[in-house]
């Protein structure tokens, strides 16, 4: 029996998203943004899953600060973890 992932109830899919939240390496984590690109249902659900947005990487750019505000809003009342990243980390270089 094959079940399509989009046929799962919202609470089960949301639970899956919680396991996608950053733990080990928040600097390389881009999962939350990726989940919002799959389809409309996943975007809506990902945006409403605060655990996906509670780790925020901040660089010294205006775009990074806008993204941090967006993540903070989506994290709602969850505690935030803030990480400052350097230009090398942003561009993919090694530190």
């Amino acid at each position: 029996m094959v079940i399509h992932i989009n046929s799962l109830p919202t609470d089960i899919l949301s639970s899956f998203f919680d396991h996608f939240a950053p733990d080990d390496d928040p600097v390389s984590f881009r999962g939350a943004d990726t989940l919002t690109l799959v389809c409309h249902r996943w975007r809506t659900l990902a945006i409403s899953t605060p655990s996906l947005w509670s780790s925020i990487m901040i660089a010294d750019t205006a775009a990074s600060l806008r993204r941090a505000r967006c993540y903070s809003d989506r994290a709602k009342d969850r505690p935030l973890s803030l990480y400052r990243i350097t230009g090398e980390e942003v561009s993919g270089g090694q530190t």
Side-chain angles (χ1 to χ4, degrees), residues 72-84:
S72 176
D73 290 344
R74 291 177 180 178
K76 299 186 175 150
D77 293 332
R78 300 243 340 168
L80 300 176
S81 297
L82 302 175
Y83 302 89
R84 183 175 183 276

Side-chain angles (χ1 to χ4, degrees), residues 27 30 59 85-95:
V27 173
R30 299 281 186 247
I85 54 177
T86 66
E88 288 181 9
E89 290 168 320
V90 172
S91 65
Q94 296 181 356
T95 57

Side-chain angles (χ1 to χ4, degrees), residues 4-86:
H4 192 276
I5 194 163
N6 274 334
S7 68
L8 292 174
T10 299
D11 58 329
I12 293 174
L13 192 55
S14 180
S15 176
F16 167 75
F17 285 5
D18 279 333
H19 291 285
F20 214 84
D23 282 339
D24 302 330
D25 189 6
V27 173
S28 67
F29 178 73
R30 299 281 186 247
D33 293 325
T34 302
L35 290 173
T36 66
L37 300 174
V38 174
C39 65
H40 178 74
R41 180 179 182 214
W42 282 40
R43 177 177 177 74
T44 301
L45 188 55
I47 288 172
S48 66
T49 304
S51 61
L52 292 175
W53 310 100
S54 60
S55 291
I56 303 172
M57 286 70 66
I58 300 174
D60 294 331
T61 66
S64 176
L65 294 177
R66 283 191 302 275
R67 171 178 263 174
R69 282 190 198 102
C70 177
Y71 274 43
S72 176
D73 290 344
R74 291 177 180 178
K76 299 186 175 150
D77 293 332
R78 300 243 340 168
L80 300 176
S81 297
L82 302 175
Y83 302 89
R84 183 175 183 276
I85 54 177
T86 66

